[in-house]
Amino acid sequence: MKSALLHEGFAVLEILSQCPTHFGRYGLNTGDPRKVLDWMRSISVMIGKVKNMDNEELEGKTILGEFVNKTRPIFRGSSVYRGEGTIVLYPLSIRLCGYGGQGIILASIILGEVMVKKKGLYAVQTQSYGSEARGGQCQAELIVSDKPIQTPISEKNDIIIALFQTAFDAYVTRLEKNGLLLLTANLFRNLPI
């Protein structure tokens, strides 16, 4: 996770997360998070061990690890990455939204820590989630700046990362006019495109 967040330019990070509320209950017939974690451990194989396994042993397994790490030229016109010789517009407001169990809040905390510890910036993070915690709508807002931050919230977001339809519907109107919208299209029914 840290490697992907610190990688300059484009990076894809997929997180395998247990969900006892929905998948556990309906896919494994259990609401016990320990059983879901045990199942996840039983199907997971680190990429380094794959070369010593045959196809039969890999049947039904999920391979974990870093698959590709390439350094390529960075698109300098991006509104997210600002490399050498470009102007950084701070504060930058990032909203991550989805449902409980997707790692929304954890991702925002990690991203904020990277900005503070590795980039020397200021960051403030707020979060909210439904009373059901897992399966209910949740969101986290991260504000990053090169100066001390005066308020922990912003009316508009420069970047919105939406991982579920209801969260998208709730927050898309807060996207700045020239903001960046990132979403997982396969989880959406109605896209404004």
Side-chain angles (χ1 to χ4, degrees):
M1 196 175 208
K2 182 178 177 181
S3 174
L5 290 172
L6 292 175
H7 181 78
E8 289 191 351
F10 183 76
V12 175
L13 176 65
E14 185 173 10
I15 299 171
L16 186 62
S17 172
Q18 91 330 353
C19 180
T21 307
H22 294 294
F23 178 72
R25 187 176 304 148
Y26 301 111
L28 297 177
N29 291 327
T30 181
D32 185 346
R34 293 171 297 177
K35 289 182 181 176
V36 178
L37 282 173
D38 289 341
W39 174 79
M40 286 176 61
R41 285 186 189 110
S42 74
I43 65 158
S44 300
V45 178
M46 292 305 293
I47 197 166
K49 295 181 179 181
V50 170
K51 62 184 173 191
N52 300 326
M53 300 174 75
D54 60 32
N55 287 342
E56 192 173 298
E57 290 175 300
L58 287 172
E59 183 72 31
K61 299 290 185 184
T62 300
I63 301 169
L64 306 176
E66 187 176 279
F67 294 92
V68 178
N69 188 343
K70 293 182 180 177
T71 302
R72 294 185 174 169
I74 297 168
F75 174 58
R76 298 293 182 188
S78 169
S79 61
V80 178
Y81 179 80
R82 313 223 197 275
E84 281 182 45
T86 60
I87 299 170
V88 179
L89 302 175
Y90 289 118
L92 181 67
S93 173
I94 305 167
R95 182 177 304 272
L96 295 89
C97 53
Y99 62 84
Q102 288 183 303
I104 300 287
I105 292 169
L106 177 61
S108 69
I109 292 169
I110 292 170
L111 184 57
E113 285 188 14
V114 168
M115 294 296 185
V116 171
K117 293 178 180 177
K118 298 294 182 183
K119 299 295 183 182
L121 298 170
Y122 294 90
V124 63
Q125 184 265 359
T126 58
Q127 62 195 33
S128 67
Y129 46 87
S131 59
E132 57 276 281
R134 291 199 176 276
Q137 187 171 311
C138 77
Q139 68 86 31
E141 183 176 14
L142 177 67
I143 299 174
V144 179
S145 182
D146 57 347
K147 297 180 178 117
I149 299 167
Q150 302 299 318
T151 179
I153 57 172
S154 63
E155 291 181 25
K156 294 285 190 176
N157 302 115
D158 301 299
I159 302 169
I160 293 182
I161 302 169
L163 302 181
F164 202 63
Q165 182 76 51
T166 54
F168 168 81
D169 294 340
Y171 296 107
V172 71
T173 58
R174 296 187 185 186
L175 185 62
E176 286 283 1
K177 183 178 178 185
N178 293 318
L180 177 67
L181 174 64
L182 301 171
L183 45 83
T184 48
N186 63 328
L187 296 178
F188 286 79
R189 299 176 310 275
N190 303 309
L191 293 175
I193 301 169

